[in-house]
Amino acid sequence: MASSPDGTRATEGFFGRRRGRPVGLNQAAILLDGLKRNRLELAAPAPADLRDLFPVQVSSVRLEIGFGGGEHLLHALDAEPGAGFIGVEPFVNGMAKLMMRLDETPRPNLRVYDDDAIRVLEWLPAGSLERIDLFYPDPWPKKKHWKRRFVSRQNLDRFSRVLRHGGVFRFASDIDSYVNWTLLHCRAHPDFEWLAVEAAGWHQPFGNWPGTRYEAKALREGRRPAYLGFRRL
Ligand SMILES: C[S@@+](CC[C@H](N)C(=O)[O-])C[C@H]1O[C@@H](n2cnc3c(N)ncnc32)[C@H](O)[C@@H]1O
């Protein structure tokens, strides 16, 4: 199990790489400054009204888990400036990339966290989110690693607690076994209802969809993504 960067606690849900290519000095400075300004402080309790996390008025709050290079998150921030977003990404290079973009154009409707999203899920007040996005999570295709997949009964319980009634969990993946896995887990969970009307709808991207870097790679390599939505009952 990976340990957290501050060494305080092992993480439960993160098994991936924390670093890729070395981050340059300028980028490191922007990353540190960006985290100082935008990082969630989980040592303090969450505000009772989660919208108070943001310096601007927002109508509701959404969470993106594992935003990678931030392509979808940046698009959503600009497409929906009236909504608040929390982006979580433990991979340093991904967070650094997002912070470079924020340095060019600050977005007051964003807060970030640079470690395991399970910590954020545990910290959030019940019923505080309108949406949770999990796009192209690490697929862990080998059966012996399936237990590492982010979608699990335990994490769906966490999603169920933090989503408001009627809130939505959105999932995308190019790995068929993970798509089936997610469908089965959500179907078995009493609090989630699949939003698809017919199976053909699986391959239809969500509305106003910008794509992601990982998705582009999957398409280049000939894999066909699926897009699933589940309503919190
Ligand atoms: C395959 S990449 C996909 C990135 C992006 N969503 C995309 O579509 O390009 C999966 C991402 O999830 C992140 N991740 C893995 N476990 C996580 C966890 N427990 N909490 C938050 N992010 C996590 C990884 O660091 C990685 O960047």
Side-chain angles (χ1 to χ4, degrees):
M1 193 175 274
S3 65
S4 67
D6 56 10
T8 51
R9 201 180 102 182
T11 59
E12 181 180 340
F14 180 65
F15 304 92
R17 280 193 311 158
R18 283 190 190 272
R19 281 166 203 285
R21 270 180 291 136
V23 171
L25 265 186
N26 179 44
Q27 207 183 2
I30 288 172
L31 170 64
L32 280 180
D33 185 58
L35 285 176
K36 206 156 74 188
R37 287 173 199 274
N38 299 292
R39 188 181 196 258
L40 291 180
E41 186 43 75
L42 301 194
D49 185 338
L50 199 61
R51 295 174 299 180
D52 293 343
L53 279 179
F54 302 89
V56 289
Q57 218 175 7
V58 296
S59 56
S60 61
V61 183
R62 292 136 194 226
L63 169 69
E64 183 168 340
I65 297 175
F67 60 71
E71 298 83 15
H72 172 268
L73 185 56
L74 282 163
H75 175 85
L77 283 163
D78 294 340
E80 298 171 90
F85 291 83
I86 299 173
V88 185
E89 180 49 71
F91 186 56
V92 173
N93 303 64
M95 185 62 82
K97 198 169 160 192
L98 184 74
M99 290 303 145
M100 296 291 283
R101 297 290 301 273
L102 281 195
D103 189 55
E104 289 156 15
T105 315
R107 271 85 168 181
N109 57 332
L110 174 68
R111 303 299 303 271
V112 297
Y113 188 66
D114 57 344
D115 204 333
D116 188 352
I118 289 177
R119 293 177 170 198
V120 177
L121 291 167
E122 294 280 295
W123 176 82
L124 288 167
S128 58
L129 295 181
E130 179 175 51
R131 198 171 76 196
I132 297 175
D133 289 337
L134 180 66
F135 300 140
Y136 301 94
D138 291 329
W140 300 112
K142 289 187 188 145
K143 197 169 178 182
K144 66 176 180 189
H145 289 144
W146 283 0
K147 56 182 175 297
R148 294 183 175 187
R149 287 177 167 173
F150 201 85
V151 174
S152 64
R153 172 65 196 224
Q154 213 183 351
N155 279 342
L156 288 180
D157 287 344
R158 290 179 168 119
F159 287 4
S160 159
R161 189 186 72 80
V162 300
L163 278 171
R164 68 165 173 78
H165 295 287
V168 172
F169 160 43
R170 301 196 306 179
F171 173 93
S173 178
D174 56 315
I175 304 298
D176 291 345
S177 78
Y178 203 167
V179 173
N180 291 336
W181 168 277
T182 299
L183 275 172
L184 288 175
H185 275 77
C186 288
R187 201 171 62 181
H189 198 291
D191 298 343
F192 288 97
E193 173 188 63
W194 185 24
L195 290 169
V197 186
E198 50 187 286
W202 292 21
H203 298 294
Q204 197 61 37
F206 303 113
N208 196 14
W209 177 248
T212 73
R213 200 155 74 100
Y214 193 87
E215 176 179 85
K217 183 169 178 272
L219 291 171
R220 273 198 313 275
E221 293 171 4
R223 291 187 298 280
R224 195 175 180 201
Y227 307 85
L228 307 176
F230 304 92
R231 184 187 293 114
R232 164 72 167 99
L233 297 170

